[in-house]
Each structure stands twice: as C-alpha cells, then as structure tokens.
C-alpha cells in the first residue's frame, strides 16, 4: 500500500495549524515574560553598563515578531485548498509528494505556503513542510511523477525521484 493512501489532507492541515498555534502561544508567553523582565523595577539600570532591561526588551520584541510570523503562516494554511492531486498533475502549492533518493530513502514532503522546516508525525510517516522558496521546493514546482530533481546537499549533488503526488 502506498504511503499516501488514505491520507486526509484536511487532518494534515489541522495538525499543522495546531502545531503552529502551540508554537505561537509558547512564543507569546515567552515574549510576555521577557517584557515583564524588561520593565521590572529590579532591572532598571543604575549605570550605562547595566543592559539587562534593554536585552530583555530586544528578546521580547524578537519573540513577538516571530509569533506574528507564525500567525501569518497560520492564515496562509487556513486559505490553502487541501485538494488532492492526481498522479498526472504537476506539483504546486498544497501537493504532498513522496520522494526517493538514490539510496532508496523515502520522504514525504508537503509543499506549503509557509512554515518551511516544520516536521509532523502522521500515520503515513514523518511529513516535512517545505516552501516554494526553498531550493527543493523551487525544483519540485511543475514537476510530475517519475521526474528526477537534483539538489546540492552538504556539497554533494543528490537526486530525488518523485514517486507519488497527492
């Protein structure tokens, strides 16, 4: 049975949204804690060399910015059509692709609108989200089942065959 048989793309999208929400909530909590540290009376500097308050405010801002990026990624996934592709369709946004490298290792890739690098455990195996902006995502766009894409990985040219698209 194919790794992608019976894969529910709506469930996959919901799992991605749940993971992104958990990541965003954690970042917002951390940003709140860093903001509290930045504004706490004990952290008010006595000299120009005491920078704990400034450093905490930078951390809070960075975490808040990352949380905003995740919110935008969540919105992109909410708008993504979870349609299934046929084996004859070219790869585009929303495609779930099974690749096999020259060593016979297989991996499931979801070409998503955001959240590149996110890895999820699903009954069919680990699924990694990549974006069209990534080297692999860019090489996969427009390709079809049976095509081979090449990608430089750690200074070595690797080949990946597209086994299935759904």
């Amino acid at each position: 049975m194919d790794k992608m048989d019976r894969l529910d793309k709506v469930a996959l999208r919901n799992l991605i949204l749940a993971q992104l929400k958990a990541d965003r909530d954690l970042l917002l909590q951390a940003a709140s804690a860093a903001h509290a540290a930045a504004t706490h009376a004990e952290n008010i500097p006595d000299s120009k060399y005491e920078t704990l308050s400034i450093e905490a405010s930078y951390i809070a801002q960075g975490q808040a910015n990352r949380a905003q990026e995740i919110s935008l990624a969540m919105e992109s996934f909410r708008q993504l059509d979870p349609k299934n592709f046929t084996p004859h369709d070219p790869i585009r946004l929303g495609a779930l692709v099974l690749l096999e490298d020259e060593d016979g290792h297989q991996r499931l890739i979801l070409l998503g609108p955001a959240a590149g690098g996110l890895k999820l455990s699903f009954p069919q195996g680990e699924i990694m989200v990549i974006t069209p902006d990534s080297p692999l995502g860019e090489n996969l766009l427009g390709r079809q089942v049976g095509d081979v894409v090449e990608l430089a990985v750690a200074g070595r040219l690797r080949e990946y065959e597209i086994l299935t698209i759904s």
Side-chain angles (χ1 to χ4, degrees), residues 7 21 41 57 62 100 102 121 130 143 147 158 160 163:
L7 187 104
K21 182 182 182 314
S57 70
E100 184 175 81
E102 62 263 18
S121 292
I130 64 169
R143 301 293 182 109
D147 288 349
R158 304 280 312 223
Y160 298 92
L163 298 180

Side-chain angles (χ1 to χ4, degrees), residues 17 40 132 149 154 163 166:
L17 287 170
H40 194 275
V149 294
L163 298 180
S166 72

Side-chain angles (χ1 to χ4, degrees), residues 4 7-10 12-13 16 76-77 79-86 89-98 108-114 127-132 137 140-142 164-166:
M4 294 194 296
L7 187 104
D8 181 349
K9 285 181 126 177
V10 173
L12 177 59
R13 182 177 63 182
I16 290 168
S76 294
F77 272 101
Q79 294 176 12
L80 183 65
D81 180 12
K83 85 171 212 88
N84 288 314
F85 292 75
T86 71
D89 289 333
I91 295 173
R92 63 184 173 94
L93 208 56
L96 185 63
V97 182
L98 180 62
L108 282 169
I109 303 292
L110 175 70
L111 190 61
I127 298 172
M128 184 167 74
V129 177
I130 64 169
T131 66
L140 287 174
L141 279 175
T164 59
I165 302 170
S166 72

